[in-house]
Amino acid sequence: MRSWQSSVNRLIPTPLLLIDVVNMNTTAFIQMLRQCVGEAHVLTDGDLSSYEQDWRKRTRGKALAVVRPGSTQEVANVVKACVQAGVSIVPQGGNTGLVVGSIPDDSGKQVLLSLQRMHAVRAIDTDNLTLTVEAGCILQNVQQAAEQAGFLFPLSLGSEGSCTIGGNLSTNAGGTQVVRYGNARELCLGLEVVTAQGDIWNGLSGLRKDNTGYDLRNLMIGSEGTLGIITAATVKLFPMPAAKLTAWAAVPSVEHAVQLLGLAHQHLGAGLTGFEMMGQFALSLVDKHYPQLRTPLWRDTPYCVLLENSDAESENHARERFEHVLEKALEMGCVTDAVVAENLSQARNLWHIRESITLAQAEEGLNIKHDISLPVSAIPQFVEETNALLAQHIDGVRLVNFGHLGDGNLHYNVQAPEGGDNATFLREQEDRVNALVYDSVKKFGGSISAEHGVGSLKVDTLPDYKDPAALALMRSIKQAVDPHNILNPGRVIRLH
Amino acid sequence: MRSWQSSVNRLIPTPLLLIDVVNMNTTAFIQMLRQCVGEAHVLTDGDLSSYEQDWRKRTRGKALAVVRPGSTQEVANVVKACVQAGVSIVPQGGNTGLVVGSIPDDSGKQVLLSLQRMHAVRAIDTDNLTLTVEAGCILQNVQQAAEQAGFLFPLSLGSEGSCTIGGNLSTNAGGTQVVRYGNARELCLGLEVVTAQGDIWNGLSGLRKDNTGYDLRNLMIGSEGTLGIITAATVKLFPMPAAKLTAWAAVPSVEHAVQLLGLAHQHLGAGLTGFEMMGQFALSLVDKHYPQLRTPLWRDTPYCVLLENSDAESENHARERFEHVLEKALEMGCVTDAVVAENLSQARNLWHIRESITLAQAEEGLNIKHDISLPVSAIPQFVEETNALLAQHIDGVRLVNFGHLGDGNLHYNVQAPEGGDNATFLREQEDRVNALVYDSVKKFGGSISAEHGVGSLKVDTLPDYKDPAALALMRSIKQAVDPHNILNPGRVIRLH
């Protein structure tokens, strides 16, 4: 076996000296990893379930070792060691992903590389409106670091107390503020990445314009650790809004929700920072399982919409603008009733209702989840046709339809008929329901993964729905950038 | 020679049957091109200077033929013919680029592929806020199509009457509205691209969220035609602002301009759609060559700033917010004097002054141009140090310093000393001045090409200033995606 310090040919595939780590040289390899990151940070025994079990508890893998580097150079050294040994690496942040992309497979031959120890905020530059942070920093801590400096870092999602910014970027996370601020991708200006060769690319730029070559930043973002390991990022800060108001409106149909979205864009401009649509059945589950939340307006309307208006001026101004939009919407008939939160606590409660849909579904029993996106204009017809299609195939099927309508992103989930056994329903219907929903998504020009990614959950479904020329390009890029298939193999795109 | 219809191995390098097009088979090859696009659209004779001469008249190339396909399929057929013949292709839009990236080399062996005939607006989707347009559509026509539908397409730059949206995307164009709306990249949701194999990737998505694999869209954007040929795009529309106001402020220093930018961000939020800084010497040239423009405030201040505020509500509200910011700025001393345009014609005149700097420089005589970007926070010190450095090396040097301060983008141009011969100055000083400026840019973490790209002008300079791991990744991607080096070879990144 060659020493891991020896130079690795950059980007040119060379035959590897593969070692059979399980039988022969495991001890020597583990010893190498210990040299890279220190004895205490290579875990092989004890309860490793937080690293090996996926967030939704769908799958449990088995790692050869969990390695927890404390610096970018240590990450690079670990990668070089793995390249030499022919051992593949699964990078992991907070392990909150929903597509089984950040746990090892069950071979016991992969290294789980956790970025959790790299959680420093390296720099805040308020004149440049940027913050530089290490990959393992928990999203909520990034938000707080921004807030303490008087600024907003707008990425916000359910798991923000556990997920890491590195994971957010690797999966191009979405969340609730995308309608104004974009996905994780749009919030990032620069990256530091360890390549599949163990080189360090220092692309930690705080530049808003840089046309010196290919967009490697965006190639790495959303590649789910298959093209490089993100170790740090420079992200955008925004001025903190002077006021943020939340409203809740009953709308008579999906078409009317789309109409309301147009009105809100027109009259609030960039003030529109949230636009969530929720179907009646989804809200009935919240009301059933969390009656104390007092979900408003849902009983007499098929859909409700939550709107958020962030204002650079004042709360009075925000309220006046909101009332202006809602009055117009009432006049036009695209809203039948509405409330505006009077204070922060009411606003939080409205968001809390929206965010409780996921838990309320779980209380009701497992269902078949879809994270899809469509052109906003196609959503009314998509919902109508797909609802009818599912009802036709499954008697009494129940649809938990909600999502970020402002971004065309629906969580279009399919629940077993009332009184049915959820586990049986899932086992018997999941493939068929997925095919029905995804075929319909394809017909309307949509995506089968809006914000959750591909991971291993959708890697074998993707080829049926993605343009073949795009798949060929993806494959050739993966082969070129990671010629030994060391980084998170079998996720996003298969090579064979 | 194999027929061009025969299948091409996708993405796997195969030995090509190279024909020596100049000596042996030119006629046959030209005949093939004529079969692809029709006789009238293969130009080999007459005045081809508009295709072969670069915008700044730095270089003149010689094409084997100018080919003008009328459809995506025709582009694909031309690429397949060129792959078979081993002939490389230079894609071209409006040919307004500033880095010699869209004209053929002087070998007479390259095909110049003009997208000008593909200029249709394919679709406008106002509910989805998107517009789908072919690559050859002139930017101004894209803006007008949006406007006619009641919406804004915010990309705006000097050459908008001639440049095409395909060229804008291939070079990730910037312009004057980036501080609010981002570069061309941020305005694009989907692309249609012909690959280096002559396959068509239909990625014309109107989706705001799509996490089904690698970000091929952004990889193609800014790749200057070296990874694929953009044939159409789906771009974002925005609600038309209710009012747009322009102000002009005298600031005592670059530091104060940065302070004013922070204030404007804080109080105008996303209303801030323009923030341009202009040095006194730059404005003196405008006043000298275009006195009729009556440039305001420049005589008694080292810098002026142009601010634009776009408001979703009303002109009164926009004015009130602007006055609020400017009063605060006057109080704090970061502005010494300011005017707000009273009407559209005054606003246009202020922008016209800003845009006349380029022409005024030309009137004064050729100078050494730099299109650089820096973290906004680094600009004051960069300007101070670099000005001093240049003054130390070149007696009486004059600096035309202006740019999009809101994006950290300076056009930091170096003019010969008064009375000096401009041509001699350029010939004798250009390399030295470039090295001084770029070294300083690198020291402050900046980019040597903010918005113009690399082309052939900077392709051999880039390796001195770009991270080596990034260059290695770029090279491996180019090799993988375009294994025969058919697409715009020698631009952006050299393979050897």
Side-chain angles (χ1 to χ4, degrees), chain A residues 376-442:
Chain A
V376 171
S377 51
I379 289 183
Q381 209 186 332
F382 166 84
V383 170
E384 192 186 322
E385 281 191 24
T386 317
N387 284 6
L389 206 62
L390 287 164
Q392 186 190 322
H393 280 81
I394 304 166
D395 262 359
V397 71
R398 300 179 298 170
L399 295 164
V400 189
N401 184 16
F402 66 104
H404 319 290
L405 189 72
D407 331 316
N409 179 192
L410 294 182
H411 298 301
Y412 185 85
N413 300 340
V414 181
Q415 195 99 27
E418 187 136 26
D421 178 63
N422 295 307
T424 314
F425 177 71
L426 234 75
R427 199 174 51 246
E428 289 177 359
Q429 299 286 359
E430 187 163 16
D431 289 348
R432 190 170 156 224
V433 165
N434 284 348
L436 282 171
V437 172
Y438 291 158
D439 287 353
S440 189
V441 165
K442 189 178 184 179

Side-chain angles (χ1 to χ4, degrees), chain B residues 205-365:
Chain B
S205 148
L207 304 176
R208 281 174 165 72
K209 283 183 173 173
D210 181 10
N211 278 349
T212 56
Y214 304 152
D215 188 355
L216 302 174
R217 176 187 75 216
N218 281 318
L219 188 64
M220 292 294 169
I221 294 173
S223 71
E224 304 183 25
T226 64
L227 299 179
I229 301 170
I230 295 173
T231 51
T234 300
V235 297
K236 292 183 195 168
L237 298 177
F238 290 81
M240 195 69 84
K244 216 152 125 176
L245 283 187
T246 307
W248 187 276
V251 297
S253 72
V254 183
E255 284 92 330
H256 288 96
V258 169
Q259 219 179 344
L260 176 61
L261 176 64
L263 268 184
H265 275 306
Q266 188 190 338
H267 294 286
L268 302 177
L272 183 68
T273 48
F275 196 99
E276 303 285 312
M277 183 181 76
M278 298 148 288
Q280 190 174 42
F281 178 63
L283 292 176
S284 80
L285 292 182
V286 176
D287 190 69
K288 177 175 169 188
H289 297 287
Y290 308 106
Q292 72 281 13
L293 293 179
R294 298 174 179 278
T295 302
L297 307 181
W298 67 275
R299 280 180 205 278
D300 303 315
T301 187
Y303 286 95
C304 287
V305 168
L306 182 159
L307 300 96
E308 188 183 77
N309 178 22
S310 297
D311 196 287
E313 191 174 336
S314 66
E315 187 174 324
N316 278 347
H317 185 254
R319 197 169 293 278
E320 181 201 298
R321 295 309 295 160
F322 236 167
E323 282 164 5
H324 179 70
V325 171
L326 292 171
E327 273 164 27
K328 277 208 174 285
L330 283 157
E331 267 170 40
M332 288 171 61
C334 61
V335 162
T336 52
D337 200 356
V339 289
V340 179
E342 288 296 324
N343 51 46
L344 207 60
S345 130
Q346 284 184 9
R348 278 204 190 117
N349 190 57
L350 293 176
W351 274 108
H352 191 44
I353 293 166
R354 159 65 184 83
E355 278 152 14
S356 299
I357 295 175
T358 304
L359 291 171
Q361 288 176 96
E363 293 284 340
E364 188 71 7

Side-chain angles (χ1 to χ4, degrees), chain A residues 290-334:
Chain A
Y290 309 107
Q292 73 280 13
L293 292 180
R294 300 174 178 278
T295 302
L297 307 182
W298 68 274
R299 282 180 201 277
D300 304 316
T301 187
Y303 286 94
C304 286
V305 168
L306 183 159
L307 301 95
E308 188 183 77
N309 179 22
S310 297
D311 196 286
E313 190 174 337
S314 67
E315 187 174 324
N316 279 347
H317 185 254
R319 198 168 293 279
E320 181 202 299
R321 295 310 293 159
F322 235 167
E323 283 163 6
H324 179 71
V325 171
L326 292 171
E327 273 164 28
K328 278 208 175 283
L330 282 158
E331 266 171 41
M332 288 171 62
C334 61

Side-chain angles (χ1 to χ4, degrees), chain B residues 53-73:
Chain B
Q53 170 83 61
D54 83 301
W55 188 250
R56 271 196 192 154
K57 305 206 187 308
R58 277 176 163 268
T59 315
R60 167 101 194 224
K62 175 85 195 91
L64 174 69
V66 172
V67 180
R68 305 173 79 245
S71 71
T72 306
Q73 189 57 57

